[in-house]
Amino acid sequence: MKGAGMASKNSTKFRMPTSENLLPIRLDIEIDGHRLKDAFTWNVNDPDSEIAVFARRTVKDLKYPGSFVTPIVQSIQSQLAEFRSFEGQEMNTGEKVLPFKLDIRVNKTVIKDQFLWDVNNLESDPEEFARVFCKDLEIEDPEVGPAIAVAIREQLYEIAIQNVTSGRETRVSKKSRRDRGVDYPSTSKVGGIALDYMKRLGNKISILRRRKEWDFYEPIIDVLSNEEVEALDAREERNARLKRKLDDKDDGYFTRYMRI
């Protein structure tokens, strides 16, 4: 009975470790020379019928060809299916403070930052953090805040998936250690101090910057010129084309190999 109590205390059912169960979604679709790149969050509890409505509205608003509707629907459905494949599984929890990084460009704004985040605070709010971040740094572009929230949620999502695996491994490890009469180690002192400080700040903004690292990890905000944006867009497009060619080449090789 003691073992069962420990397992329930240090684990929870898989979900996004935030106050709202919002899944980060990314689209990167190219059809007949038109390319759609977008990132946003999706409420996993919304009915799937909303996906097609969203896709049609997006295509209409952006004035893209109607041929984009089906790929958008399929991409969102695929990412939701991956998330749902983990639902119901045990996710390891406990004190865990990890470094998060931002390195994104939204239109003309480039943002680089690093901070600590309590990944097991199920009441954290990436959207609120993004709003405060943009307000404090006087970022006016309304698209920056949502992009920051998505970037944070993507890192939280990856960690949540890892915690499903580590949850299984931890339960097996604890049972083995108890069988051998070995105490399981507690969270590091540094992590505990960081977590205590964040608890004093409140649940919504679950971040911390170490004082000794302020000079190294203070936010870097840069606003690019039109020429710099065009150059970056051109480079990203070249890299995307190269990646597609390599992917097509690999697919062709795989097909030929399977036929032999």
Side-chain angles (χ1 to χ4, degrees), residues 50 52-62:
E50 291 295 322
V53 176
F54 170 82
R56 288 193 293 268
R57 184 170 63 246
T58 298
V59 169
K60 180 180 179 180
D61 291 345
L62 298 178

Side-chain angles (χ1 to χ4, degrees), residues 140-155:
E140 298 180 355
D141 188 336
E143 296 183 26
V144 172
I148 291 174
V150 168
I152 293 174
R153 284 189 175 276
E154 285 177 328
Q155 295 175 72

Side-chain angles (χ1 to χ4, degrees), residues 10-26:
N10 294 317
S11 64
T12 187
K13 296 298 183 181
F14 177 81
R15 53 164 290 178
M16 286 293 297
T18 56
S19 58
E20 293 186 273
N21 206 18
L22 302 178
L23 177 67
I25 299 288
R26 280 196 179 271

Side-chain angles (χ1 to χ4, degrees), residues 19-88:
S19 58
E20 293 186 273
N21 206 18
L22 302 178
L23 177 67
I25 299 288
R26 280 196 179 271
L27 301 178
D28 191 350
I29 302 169
E30 183 173 3
I31 302 175
D32 298 331
H34 298 277
R35 188 179 183 189
L36 170 62
K37 291 185 65 177
D38 198 6
F40 48 89
T41 57
W42 191 271
N43 191 327
V44 298
N45 298 318
D46 284 349
D48 287 354
S49 59
E50 291 295 322
I51 299 175
V53 176
F54 170 82
R56 288 193 293 268
R57 184 170 63 246
T58 298
V59 169
K60 180 180 179 180
D61 291 345
L62 298 178
K63 295 181 172 56
Y64 272 67
S67 55
F68 272 83
V69 172
T70 298
I72 290 174
V73 171
Q74 292 174 340
S75 181
I76 296 175
Q77 287 177 334
S78 175
Q79 293 174 71
L80 281 171
E82 179 191 49
F83 178 88
R84 288 167 178 165
S85 69
F86 294 100
E87 288 185 324

Side-chain angles (χ1 to χ4, degrees), residues 113-259:
D113 195 12
Q114 179 166 311
F115 44 84
L116 297 178
W117 193 284
D118 176 11
V119 299
N120 288 319
N121 180 0
L122 302 183
E123 294 302 317
S124 67
D125 189 341
E127 284 72 26
E128 177 64 15
F129 168 78
R131 285 191 289 269
V132 174
F133 184 96
C134 291
K135 180 180 179 181
D136 289 348
L137 296 176
E138 299 181 347
I139 298 174
E140 298 180 355
D141 188 336
E143 296 183 26
V144 172
I148 291 174
V150 168
I152 293 174
R153 284 189 175 276
E154 285 177 328
Q155 295 175 72
L156 286 168
Y157 181 36
E158 290 299 320
I159 292 169
I161 292 174
Q162 294 169 10
N163 284 349
V164 171
T165 301
S166 67
R168 290 193 293 264
E169 294 174 348
T170 298
R171 288 190 292 276
V172 172
S173 175
K174 284 185 177 181
K175 183 178 184 303
S176 176
R177 294 172 71 90
R178 286 197 301 272
D179 291 343
R180 299 199 308 270
V182 180
D183 291 334
Y184 198 77
S186 61
T187 306
S188 70
K189 182 178 181 181
V190 173
I193 293 173
L195 185 60
D196 289 342
Y197 182 71
M198 279 186 284
K199 287 178 178 177
R200 292 200 300 271
L201 292 177
N203 285 334
K204 294 298 184 180
I205 307 300
S206 186
I207 65 112
L208 173 71
R209 300 181 199 275
R210 292 192 180 105
R211 180 178 295 275
K212 66 181 181 180
E213 296 175 343
W214 284 356
D215 291 338
F216 298 98
Y217 295 130
E218 63 179 351
I220 297 175
I221 311 297
D222 191 15
V223 179
L224 305 178
S225 65
N226 291 333
E227 292 76 13
E228 290 172 323
V229 170
E230 291 174 0
L232 278 175
D233 286 342
R235 185 172 67 184
E236 290 177 1
E237 183 58 33
R238 286 196 301 270
N239 291 338
R241 285 199 302 269
L242 177 60
K243 184 179 184 301
R244 287 194 295 272
K245 288 181 180 179
L246 292 175
D247 290 343
D248 291 342
K249 183 178 180 180
D250 290 342
D251 290 342
Y253 174 81
F254 180 76
T255 302
R256 290 194 299 272
Y257 178 78
M258 292 298 292
R259 289 175 178 173

